[in-house]
Structure formats: structure tokens, C-alpha cells
């Protein structure tokens, strides 16, 4: 056999060995990649937020129960009933960094509007015990919290879903699942603030790259593909001066949403202060959609 053929066979054999090794290592590599991805998505700040000054009167600590939670896991929440006994109840879903102690200023503003508020820390955040969160686990946690909210407020038309930043994607998913699983509406409306279309889009925007980074992602958080079928009125709010999540993402979400819907772009507002900066305009947008508690 000519030497060139021997060399070709050796190279081919070596290539097959390398390919076999890569295939054997692929699950390990993918697992590590997913772990790193989740660490980048969920940048959990441990402990108490430095601006937290304690719980206001009337706010209650709650431990949510579910068969889906193991003995090593727990789900901690806050329940803050409104002064009106029959007030609409709102499920508050936070973003990827701060636990409930970092959210109180926004929860206070929603409560001041007249909502009863149930706010939950996903597993791994704050006093909720568990491993590093994933898209799947936060969806599970949200479903558990919604079941608790439904017991607190049994009227579907008086139950609302609110999500901020990454919590907006979690909120859209919850509304979409409720619409898919039930023939009648299970919520009165959906409020999405300072959020994005999907994780691939925000990853590309944050890294300022045109490379297809979404191919490397195992977490989707695809609000764009779900928001058109949530089956409830939708308010989408975003600060025009948001340096973390461009407001164009909310404009894209609004375009994909079905009526009735409202888009509130807030001049001068950043990623975190939209509620405060919008003031009466926020209330007006809620009233237009029939979402206002008053």
C-alpha cells in the first residue's frame, strides 16, 4: 500500500479517536457551559440589600409549600394585604440579582396603588433555599407562588402578574402557561417592566456582538414567542434611559402582544425607577386596561 494511503488512514483513525473523545466529553462540557451560563444570568447578591430598612407594618413572612420542593429546598415570600379586604392581588416577580430586600421600594409603590402584593424569592435567593436557579426552576417557583395567590384571592379577575427585568420574562411565561392550561382566564392582567424579548437578544445587546451567541444558550426566556398568546390585557413599561436593557425590546414585545395592550415609555427613567418616574401616567395606563385596583 502506498505511503500516502497509510498516512491518510492514520490521519483518519486519529480524527475518529479525537471525535470519539470529544463526543465522550461533550456532556461534561455542556454541563459546565450551562452552569456558567446560569451563573451569568442569575447574579445573586447574597444577604440583605444595603438600602433595606426593615419590613413595614402589615407585611408578613410566608413559607410556600409544594411537593415539588425537596427537604433541602424552601420558598420564601412576602404577603402584604391591602387595606381593602376585596382588593386585587398582584404576584411580584423580581429580576436576576437582588432578593426581596432589594425590591421593597418597588413593592411599596405597587402596594400604595391599592394592590395586595405577594412577592416571592426564587430558590437560591434570599431566604429561599436551593441550588443555583435555572429557567425551569424559576418557572416552577412562580407556579407554586401563583397557586398560593389564587387561594388568597379566589377571583381570577382580581389576580395580576407583575414582572421586572428578568422577572418580566418569568411573568410572561406564567401568563402563557395559564392561558394554555385553562379554558377561562386565570388572571386579570399582566404587567411587564424593564424587560426583554429573549435571552439571546439581551445577551447580544449586552456583549455588543453580532455573533450568534444564542446558539450557546440553554436558557431561552422567550417572551417574544409567548406574549401574543397570554390571553389577558398587557401593560409594558420601560424607562427610555435604561442602560442595562434597551427600551426597544419593550417596543418589540408590545408589537408582538395581542390587544388589549398598552406601551408606557417613561422619559428620564432608568432600569429601576420607572414606577416612581411615571407617576400618574402609570396609574392611567393601568386604568386604560382595566388593571387599576382603584
Amino acid at each position: 500500500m502506498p505511503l500516502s494511503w497509510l498516512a491518510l488512514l492514520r490521519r483518519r483513525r486519529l480524527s475518529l479517536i479525537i471525535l470519539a473523545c470529544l463526543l465522550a466529553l461533550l456532556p461534561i462540557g455542556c454541563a459546565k457551559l450551562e452552569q456558567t451560563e446560569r451563573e451569568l444570568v442569575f447574579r445573586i447578591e447574597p444577604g440583605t440589600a444595603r438600602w433595606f430598612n426593615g419590613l413595614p407594618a402589615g407585611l408578613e413572612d410566608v413559607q410556600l409549600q409544594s411537593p415539588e420542593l425537596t427537604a433541602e429546598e424552601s420558598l420564601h415570600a412576602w404577603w402584604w394585604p391591602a387595606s381593602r379586604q376585596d382588593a386585587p392581588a398582584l404576584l411580584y416577580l423580581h429580576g436576576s440579582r437582588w432578593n426581596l430586600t432589594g425590591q421593597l421600594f418597588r413593592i411599596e409603590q405597587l402596594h400604595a396603588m391599592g394592590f395586595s402584593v405577594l412577592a416571592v424569592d426564587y430558590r437560591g435567593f434570599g431566604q429561599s433555599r436551593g441550588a443555583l436557579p435555572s429557567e425551569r426552576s424559576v418557572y416552577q417557583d412562580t407556579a407554586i407562588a401563583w397557586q398560593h395567590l389564587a387561594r388568597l384571592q379566589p377571583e381570577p379577575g382580581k389576580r395580576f402578574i407583575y414582572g421586572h427585568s428578568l422577572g418580566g420574562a418569568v411573568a410572561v411565561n406564567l401568563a402563557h402557561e395559564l392561558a394554555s392550561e385553562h379554558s377561562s382566564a386565570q388572571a386579570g392582567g399582566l404587567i411587564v417592566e424593564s424587560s426583554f424579548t429573549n435571552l439571546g437578544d439581551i445577551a447580544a445587546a449586552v456583549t455588543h456582538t453580532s455573533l450568534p451567541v444564542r446558539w450557546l444558550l440553554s436558557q431561552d426566556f422567550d417572551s417574544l414567542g409567548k406574549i401574543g398568546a397570554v390571553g389577558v390585557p398587557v401593560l409594558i413599561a420601560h424607562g427610555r434611559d435604561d442602560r442595562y436593557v434597551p427600551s426597544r425590546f419593550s417596543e418589540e414585545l408590545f408589537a408582538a402582544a395581542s390587544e388589549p395592550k398598552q406601551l408606557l415609555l417613561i422619559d428620564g427613567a432608568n432600569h429601576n425607577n420607572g414606577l416612581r418616574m411615571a407617576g400618574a401616567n402609570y396609574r392611567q395606563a393601568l386604568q386604560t386596561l382595566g388593571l387599576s385596583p382603584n
Side-chain angles (χ1 to χ4, degrees):
M1 184 177 291
L3 183 61
S4 58
W5 279 100
L6 285 172
L8 181 62
L9 284 173
R10 289 193 184 103
R11 284 200 297 271
R12 184 179 179 188
R13 184 180 179 187
L14 181 60
S15 297
L16 290 172
I17 293 172
I18 294 173
L19 179 60
C21 290
L22 288 173
L23 289 173
L25 291 173
L26 187 59
I28 300 174
C30 287
K32 179 60 179 175
L33 183 63
E34 181 183 350
Q35 174 78 10
T36 302
E37 177 191 348
R38 288 162 59 190
E39 289 171 353
L40 291 172
V41 172
F42 297 99
R43 298 168 293 113
I44 302 173
E45 293 283 349
T48 302
R50 63 184 179 278
W51 56 87
F52 178 68
N53 292 319
L55 296 180
L59 193 151
E60 306 166 11
D61 275 306
V62 179
Q63 293 295 329
L64 305 183
Q65 306 297 323
S66 172
E68 296 183 31
L69 301 175
T70 69
E72 292 75 33
E73 296 173 328
S74 66
L75 207 54
H76 173 248
W78 287 343
W79 169 240
W80 197 358
S83 55
R84 279 176 44 204
Q85 191 171 5
D86 64 340
L90 179 147
L91 177 60
Y92 180 96
L93 302 169
H94 65 66
S96 63
R97 187 177 179 187
W98 298 102
N99 60 45
L100 290 180
T101 63
Q103 309 290 323
L104 184 56
F105 68 99
R106 197 177 293 109
I107 294 169
E108 285 176 325
Q109 292 168 69
L110 291 165
H111 185 263
M113 286 184 179
F115 290 107
S116 294
V117 181
L118 178 68
V120 62
D121 260 335
Y122 318 118
R123 277 171 285 181
F125 281 83
Q127 296 182 41
S128 294
R129 294 181 294 114
L132 180 69
S134 67
E135 181 178 17
R136 180 174 177 270
S137 75
V138 296
Y139 289 169
Q140 288 177 336
D141 296 344
T142 303
I144 295 169
W146 182 257
Q147 291 168 7
H148 187 79
L149 186 79
R151 291 189 289 270
L152 293 167
Q153 174 49 270
E155 294 186 44
K158 290 186 176 182
R159 297 196 293 256
F160 298 91
I161 310 169
Y162 171 95
H164 179 264
S165 194
L166 182 73
V170 182
V172 170
N173 179 78
L174 174 61
H176 183 264
E177 287 191 347
L178 291 172
S180 301
E181 295 169 1
H182 300 273
S183 57
S184 59
Q186 297 298 299
L190 169 68
I191 306 166
V192 179
E193 186 176 335
S194 303
S195 198
F196 51 83
T197 49
N198 55 60
L199 194 60
D201 287 346
I202 191 62
V206 169
T207 56
H208 304 288
T209 181
S210 59
L211 295 174
V213 291
R214 68 183 69 248
W215 292 358
L216 300 175
L217 300 176
S218 62
Q219 319 284 295
D220 294 324
F221 289 103
D222 182 21
S223 294
L224 192 63
K226 300 172 184 173
I227 198 165
V230 296
V232 295
V234 180
L235 170 62
I236 300 174
H238 212 124
R240 290 186 184 273
D241 293 345
D242 191 333
R243 296 185 296 111
Y244 300 108
V245 181
S247 60
R248 62 180 171 84
F249 288 133
S250 281
E251 295 182 75
E252 292 178 39
L253 283 177
F254 177 75
S258 299
E259 296 285 356
K261 59 183 179 179
Q262 286 280 309
L263 176 65
L264 178 62
L265 297 179
I266 307 160
D267 292 329
N270 58 33
H271 188 66
N272 291 309
N273 65 0
L275 260 173
R276 179 174 61 82
M277 292 292 291
N281 291 334
Y282 214 110
R283 288 179 177 271
Q284 181 59 50
L286 290 171
Q287 288 172 353
T288 301
L289 286 172
L291 308 183
S292 176
N294 298 319

